[in-house]
Amino acid sequence: MLENVLLMVFAMIGVSLMLNLWRLIVGPSVPDRILALDTMYINTIALIILYGIGMQTQIYFEAALLIAMLGFVSTVAVCKYLLRGDIIE
Amino acid sequence: MTEWLISALLILGGLFILIGSIGLVKMPDFFMRLHGPTKATTLGMALLLIAANVFFSVENGVINIKEILISIFLLITAPITGYMLIKSAIHHELKAKDGTKGMDNIEDD
Amino acid sequence: MELLYASCVGLLVACGIYLILRARTFPVVLGLTMLSYAVNLFLFSSGRLKINQAPVLGQSASYADPLPQALVLTAIVIGFAMTAFVVILAIRGRADLGNDHVDGQPRASRATKGSK
Amino acid sequence: MTLLWIPLLSLLGSLLASFTGKLSRNQSAAVTAIMPIICLALVISMAPQVLAGETLYASLPWIPELGVNLSFRLDGLSLLFCILILGIGLLIILYARYYLSANDSMPKLYAYLMLFMTAMLGIVTANNIIQMWFFWELTSVSSFLLISYWWYNPEARKGARMALAITGAGGLALLAGLVLLGQLVGSYELDVILQSGELVKSSEWYPLILVLVLLGAFTKSAQFPFHFWLPHAMAAPTPVSAYLHSATMVKAGIFLLARFYPALAGTELWFIIVGVTGLTTLLVGAYIALFKHDLKGLLAYSTISHLGLITLLLGLDTQLATVAAIFHIINHATFKASLFMATGIIDHETGTRDMRKLNGMWRYMPYTATLAMVAAASMAGVPLLNGFLSKEMFFAETLHQQMLGSMSWLIPVLATVAGALSVAYSARFIHDVFFNGEPKDLPKQPHEAPRYMRVPIEILVTLCVLVGLFPAFVVDPLLTVASHAVLGAEAPDYHLAIWHGFNLPLLMSAVAVAGGLFIYSQRKYLFQFQASLPSVSAKKAFDASIQRVVVWSREQILRIENGSLQRYVFILLLSTLVVAGLPLFEMHTLAGATGLSEIDAHNAIGAALLMIGALATLIWHRSRMIALILVSVVGLMTSVAFTRFSAPDLALTQLTVEVVTVMLLMLALFFLPQRTPKESSSLRILRDLGVSSAIGIVVGSICYALLTRPQESISQFFIGNAKTGGGGTNVVNVILVDFRGFDTLGEITVLGIAALGIYKLLLNLPLFMPASDSEGRPWARERHPLLLASISQSLLPLAIMVSVYIFLRGHNLPGGGFIAGLVTSIAFILQYMANGSNWIRARMDINYRKVIASGLAIATLSGIGSWLFGRNFLTSWFDYFDIPLVGKTELASAMIFDLGVYLTVVGATLMILASLGKLTAETPKEKVNL
Amino acid sequence: MRLQARYKWLPTPFRSILLFAVWLLLNNSVSAGHLILGAVLAIVIPLVIAPFRTAQPLILRPGLATKQLFIVLWDIITANVEVAFKILAPTKRLRPGFIKVPLDLEHELPITMLASTVSLTPGTVSAEVYPIPESLPKGEVPTQRFLLIHVLDLDDEQALIETIKRRYEAPLKEIFQC
Amino acid sequence: MQHLITLPVLLPLLAGIILLLPPCGKNLVLRRWVATFMALFTLVASTLLLTTILGSGPLVYAIGEWQPPFGIVLYADPLAVALCILTSFLSLVTIVYASRGDDKAGSFFHPLAHFLLMGVNGAFLTGDLFNLFVFFEVLLIASYALLMHKKDKHTTKAALHYVILNLVGSSIFLIALGVLYGVLGTLNMADMAVKVALLQGDDIYLAKIGGLLLLIVFALKAALLPLHLWLPATYGRAMPVIAAQFAIMTKVGVYAIMRVFTMIFGEQAGELSGIASTWLWPLALVTLVVGAVGVLAAEDLRRLSANLVIVSVGTLIAMVALNNEQATAVAIYYLIHSTIACAAMFLVADMIALQRGKVQDRLVNSRGVAQPKLLGFCFVFAAIALAGLPPLSGFVAKLWLLDASYGAQVAWVFWPIYLLASLATLVALSRAGTSLFWHDHPNQDEQFEDNVYAGKRRTWALVLILAVPLMMTVFAAPLSEMSNQAAAALHNSQVAIDTVFALAKEQ
Ligand code: NA
Ligand code: NA
């Protein structure tokens, strides 16, 4: 059963990612795109966690953890860019 | 039993994530789009991660809650992401949906 | 799957190269970045594609080829260093040359300068 | 081995001369003369043996691999030339002492002169043809220096350059010829070559060799059509001209013809080329000489003409002609040297060499005039003087050949014409300078030259007379051995005498003298006729042609190196496409033996995201910010691919690097335009799309071909030995810090250098800082958003904890120093973003340069440490320890190495960002530690 | 309110505990080795990065803090379900709006926690803290701060402000004793 | 002594590190001395290494004691070590030269010079193809940083081109590595040589692609036509003292071509043997021609020297393309000669530019230099060496080149092109010399600033580097013998394979 459930959830995440990408490409504003990218980061974490469950391995946990950390930092950086231009003042 | 639990958590988590992304696509203005990802997705992630915890605890026979770290992390950062995004949206003077109340509350940045 | 992977690599290479052939530093740098993704994926593929066989002992029954992974890791780091340098060089170019054309001046202004 | 000393001492002489700067002029000349005197003494001491028919040898090994040795010989021909070179050289040294003015540097002239003398001695005594070429080129170089002695005179510079270009070109041809000759014969030793005449002449390479060698000889001895450099070399000081153009430089070419006579001469080709060239040169030189108003110009063309005469003699198909050639070498050297020196005196004492101004010099310098007149008479071939003897032999030999077949009668006729012209210009030299009325506007009041300045001329003119009167007694022995050397044992019998009775040659002489005087008497009409011809300046033509070559070169280079990076990259890519694409077509099937695995949903989604991201980046690349966001998607998907295909370490690295890269790009974007203008023509876009998709297809195909092939690799070793040999279970990490730690050492060095380089780039960079964004919106006022500043403080310890975790587990599980370093750096970057670089600097006064260096030092020293245990560099060590409470713990030297990696990464990343931050910091003046 | 911790070697006790927990979580282990290492790191890391901390009030009511944590967690769950339905429902019915909540809190950390809580709970996202320092004359400290909040579906502005202040701000004041 | 082979790489690395750390970090005088002595030590170590291997044959050193083909090995044959000596010497000279003040034009000159040295020596000594890539990157990044030593907008433009082209080049290198590893499953060059011979079917073509891609990369580094376009601007615009150091970098490309295409794709490689030759030969000739045209076209001495570098590359590659031992031996001798001569010319150009003030080293008539005797002598010396005239090494090289190419089918086109290129060089150099040193006003009393004079250090550097062409003529015999030995070692890939795998058996 778990296998089917995984596939199902997987499909949901996949659809989510596609929706994110759609928003990312369509925009219309830059903040919209950043928001989409940030969501994409998080959805990717979901993807990796699912993959880990499917493969019964925790070896990709750190990747997920880092995406969480780094996604945040880069989103903040882009926002800072939009606000101030100079991200390190 | 645990399999049911895991499955339920997974499906719920997936659903929330999907809804978050639907919100991202569906909402009419940026400020409203922001709500989906910052909330629904965060919860969806938490559910998924709990599912993973349960799964690996069962799988390895020891209690495993390390995935919750990611959730903690997201809980800490998601509001700041939203804050930064909304700041830049205000800075870019993005149009809010017609009829949005309290626009006069926004000051120059 | 192999075909899909190869197509991705090919597409990345093509996009990267197209951008490298642009006349302004920023797209060129973007192109270089994309090309380095492609190249890393390519180098990685020289160990073939294995699913769930991470080369960490005790984690699975058989292991993916660890050597290309180590090589790609080195390549990523070196690529990072190089990209960093070229990015800063692009800034320097803008400051020194007054524009961001890779040749220091856009073609049109070069033509008028030549006719003087 | 005495022979070796001759060039060596001469070379020493050059050095010696260059150090005489502090001595008086007399002392300088005396010191310079020491070495040539010793050399001459040595030569004379060896002369009896040579005259007795012996050939002396001396040899030292030099480059045996190439068959090149320092190998010397002294035979008759060498002896003759040695005596000429040294003898006349000594006279020139004396003469130059008086010729040079106080402003001119004596040591410089003497040093160059002695260098030149060395080169000439080297040529004539060489027994190895490569060695000969060595000295041959040395004459080109040293004559260049001599001709340009008065370098502030543009004529001298141009003349020197022209001489070098022409003789240099000839030298290269000669080298080619000599190498061919050597390869053909199997040796570069002259002895062997001279004995292989038959082999050479019958070879299919013979024509080529001959032409190449003759090119060398003809350019050097100013044969038509390469003669034009010589008159322009007259810009040199007169002693130099006297030396170079009488006995030495130009005679080197003649010497070469004579030297290779046994190996190359005797064929029809030889006679045609050498003979016709000589004849043409003889006539052309003599004709032009007549019209030169400059005394030295006259002598220059006369030299050309006489060299043509000698060449023609060497080209004539009789042995006696060859003897005559050698005889004329001697005679020409003596009379021409004296004439040059006399000209020098006239120039020196009157300030001009223009024959239109010089008139009636007889009255002012009767002594010099007498000497000059005797020498000029010798040049004209007046009986009782040496010039007459050889010229008569020449006339005689022109009658004895069939070179031009039925037209062969032309040769004596033309020879007579040339003789007449020679008489005419000699007559002009005498009459126009010493008589012909009063001088006009001379810059100086003329008077007789200093006593010792005349001595060299006296000696030479005496020789002219002595040879003319007692040829058999004075030169016969030398001439005989020299002829033997050229012709081999079968040199003909001849006897030198003034009187051979009334015969055809005598008639030719008479006709020549009469004709010459007639021509001179009718010079007015001739000059008018000449003036009506379009004047061709060799110098201008040469300069123009060189200039044309240079201009053409510049055009070509500008066309090729047009300074367009797009073109350069395009060429690189096209080359890549060609070499990588062609073999693809040779393959039978692209796919290998392994089948395809199926595509699952995971891969499909990842691939779709990656491809859409890439294409979207391409399409939106002109909106830079959007492109940057899209590239992040591609990067993210790349790391997802790494997780998918079992490479967790790679995924981690890719992720961290990706974030830092995007941040850097954003920093850069701040200083760059936000949009890329539309500049490419649609044709260019099509072209670029074409080449990039072609390369994409090729690379994709190669990738596909690889992926579908079974593989055998060395990787099993790593998997098998990671734990037992490297002490870790994360094989990738063990490869990085142990199996291939050397790569990693290089890699972090690259990172460190990049940081140093970036620091360099950004130091004192004047930056254009936009006050508003691309849409004209002023920047937000708030520098450090409150919530961000606050949360980033809380995240810092968390991130450090995570990086410690990643660092420590790296050896056994995905992670390691590099990733840990980047996580630490990113944590600090967040602080930079949230609080600004001034805030950071106030709290952390770390010198990143030192951090980088320490990291590198730790990594390197951890490798060198193994030397202490007698192990190779980077040999790892690990062991397990039982620590109370903690339990079994592994300690490995690789961890120390990884610590080095960590520090370098942190130092480098932060140095890069701090340098950038510093650019816009509010207090740029403040001294910053980096 | 207290800004300085009792022991110099433990400047931020709560944070150290968090770090210790994170270490154990990361390693998924409670072995002696990890307990020791975790403890050491939890003490050393805050000390090392102490310069990067600006003084903030410390948590003085840990019990209340824990209680508040669970309240917020519960709110997050309910809020999310609520938002999920709003997303799926037709968007026309939504009445978005911005509100400005006057703050009693003064220090950054509590304000941040409040803003985060607001962002994570019912239909609200914190947008800005007013006034921004750059809008004030140099050196002046703001007397009254406001939190700008975007509300997805705004019904009664005053009620919402009231709820936020009561349910989230008041406990924070209590926890930090400020 | 066992570790001697690592010293040419490790000493410069350590030097770079030491120079960044206290007390060197802030003390320029100390930095100069340390840099000089470390370069000297590297030179001595390399020389010792050469004497060792000339006696005992090639050496192999397994880094980390991981046996080949698994670990990285250093492989020292006479060619590699001779080039290490050359590079170390060049670094020594340039460091001494720069210590007069050029090192102050930007930061980190001395550490970067040593990192460059490390990269180049590493590239020469490594026996592992991926490690070669790493060292290429080390030397490239160091060269990027050095190129930007002096701030000037033309340099920036040249650097942009140079860096971007090389980044593309590095990508191609990685693709080549991927293909070769994917087909051969190994990275050790000796092992690759073994595996290449065993390839069958379509794998051969894949390996061929890998090999030819490497050729592109190396040709780009070597500035072989049509990939030379970056060179004139880069070398012409870099500070001359840095251009002098760069003189070795094109040779790294040439070396890599020699190494890879005689060892991996050597005679043992069956169908793949000599895959490069067909491409190399015509390209070498075209390079020679274009280089010579560039020499004639040059408007300043640095450009001229840069084009001379191209000429030398064309000549070298022609020899490499002949693909026989004798030609390789010439190539080795010529490589050393041309590197030194070009580097010397860059230094001379620098002094001239410095002393002529505004016109710099442009080939126009202008004021004289402050030290006409010294510079004139140096120029003539360098020019004679470059033009291949006696009595300097260029003459030996020229002779040997002709000698070695005699009998090759292609000699009939190589000889004329080569000789004409020599003539162009001669003409251009004589024009350059006459316009730089000789002008119409001999006795102008000009005032020169104190810092334009050569001073002790620069004079020493010039003397040191100019002594080499002379020494190379005097000691032509031992040098040619060494070149022959080096060429023999290079061509006999079986020896290399055996040496490398003997180590594997030992362990
Ligand atoms: Na007259
Ligand atoms: Na900044």
Side-chain angles (χ1 to χ4, degrees), chain A residues 86-89, chain D residues 667 670-671 769 837 913 916-921:
Chain A
D86 190 6
I87 62 175
I88 297 177
E89 308 188 52
Chain D
L667 280 166
F670 176 52
F671 301 111
M769 281 226 291
S837 44
L913 286 154
L916 263 170
K918 198 184 55 178
L919 283 180
T920 55

Side-chain angles (χ1 to χ4, degrees), chain D residues 95 98-101 343-352 444 450 453:
Chain D
Y95 178 79
Y98 293 96
Y99 181 84
L100 286 190
S101 73
T343 307
I345 287 178
I346 293 166
D347 186 10
H348 203 251
E349 304 306 335
T350 65
T352 184
K444 283 183 183 174
M453 199 173 178

Side-chain angles (χ1 to χ4, degrees), chain F residues 274-334:
Chain F
I275 46 170
S277 294
T278 36
W279 295 96
L280 284 181
W281 183 249
L283 293 183
L285 294 185
V286 183
T287 308
L288 204 49
V289 171
V290 172
V293 173
V295 165
L296 286 172
E299 294 182 46
D300 61 46
L301 188 54
R302 281 176 295 170
R303 273 280 171 153
L304 200 160
S305 314
N307 280 292
L308 285 172
V309 172
I310 297 179
V311 170
S312 77
V313 167
T315 314
L316 269 172
I317 295 294
M319 287 299 105
V320 173
L322 285 178
N323 202 15
N324 63 54
E325 257 184 63
Q326 209 206 349
T328 306
V330 194
I332 295 167
Y333 183 90
Y334 181 82

